[in-house]
Amino acid sequence: MAGVLVIGTLVSTAARSGGGSSSGGSAGPRYRVTVPQTLAGGEYKLAKDISQQATDAMPHDGANEHNIKAAGGQYSSGTKSLVMLGLYGVIDDPQTAIDHSMRGMTSDGKTEVVVPDKEFTPTGGGASLTCGVDVRTEMGQKVTLPFCIWADSSTSGNVAETDAADVAKDPQSVDLQEFADKAAKIRSEVRKPVG
């Protein structure tokens, strides 16, 4: 159930990340987002490809994103459910894409920011990710939802995880550096050069 919540949250995030009129970027994307069978070095296995569901729910052109396609999957590892949702195309301003994602995650009235987002540099280097912890209330149940978001000129991605063994885990106890490291690994697995 928790995994389905995450899908709903992230797909609605994608739907809200567009908007405005298209100025049409002329440079094509350098990267695309894929949905591999496993993530995080094989720790998570693909349970459901949600690329079509996400693509149908979102605008393909907005003020900041152009010719956008979505790719995503729900993955599982034991009691953990992880959702990766990526967008790819032309992104004018990566920071704006991150801000849109952040707002989209809490705009449903059921999700609140509990650990405010901040930037994390993956251990061992690499581009930073913006990570935090939200708590979503669904049918009276509080679900702790650590997440990380990244964006560059041709991709943006959102990784969020729930654990059925501890859905209401203390949000303050989440090791966000560790989660950022995992999300950075996932980013390297799903982000592939175009061509």
Side-chain angles (χ1 to χ4, degrees):
M1 173 186 123
V4 176
L5 298 185
V6 181
I7 291 174
T9 301
L10 295 195
V11 169
S12 64
T13 299
R16 289 186 188 91
S17 71
S21 62
S22 169
S23 60
S26 57
R30 296 192 326 261
Y31 291 94
R32 61 192 175 94
V33 177
T34 61
V35 183
Q37 289 300 307
T38 62
L39 286 181
E43 181 184 346
Y44 296 85
K45 292 192 170 34
L46 181 65
K48 181 180 181 186
D49 189 315
I50 59 168
S51 301
Q52 192 59 53
Q53 181 184 351
T55 298
D56 291 347
M58 51 165 282
H60 302 289
D61 282 289
N64 188 54
E65 295 102 6
H66 316 286
N67 302 318
I68 293 295
K69 295 184 179 69
Q74 180 185 354
Y75 292 80
S76 60
S77 174
T79 58
K80 293 180 181 175
S81 180
L82 180 139
V83 174
M84 179 284 298
L85 180 64
L87 306 179
Y88 62 100
V90 176
I91 298 172
D92 296 334
D93 179 10
Q95 188 55 51
T96 297
I98 290 171
D99 294 343
H100 282 159
S101 289
M102 300 294 304
R103 280 200 304 276
M105 287 178 74
T106 55
S107 63
D108 61 2
K110 297 178 182 178
T111 307
E112 60 179 315
V113 177
V114 180
V115 177
D117 59 282
K118 63 181 226 180
E119 281 194 23
F120 287 85
T121 300
T123 305
S128 65
L129 301 101
T130 300
C131 305
V133 184
D134 290 347
V135 169
R136 183 177 168 100
T137 304
E138 194 73 38
M139 296 182 294
Q141 170 77 58
K142 289 194 179 303
V143 179
T144 300
L145 203 61
F147 67 88
C148 285
I149 300 170
W150 82 84
D152 55 47
S153 62
S154 55
T155 67
S156 71
N158 196 326
V159 176
E161 183 182 70
T162 56
D163 188 344
D166 193 7
V167 288
K169 177 178 183 168
D170 175 9
Q172 306 295 335
S173 73
V174 175
D175 184 337
L176 278 176
Q177 180 66 58
E178 183 183 320
F179 193 67
D181 290 348
K182 184 186 293 184
K185 188 172 195 175
I186 289 169
R187 172 175 61 188
S188 70
E189 292 167 332
V190 303
R191 192 170 158 268
K192 300 296 179 194
V194 170

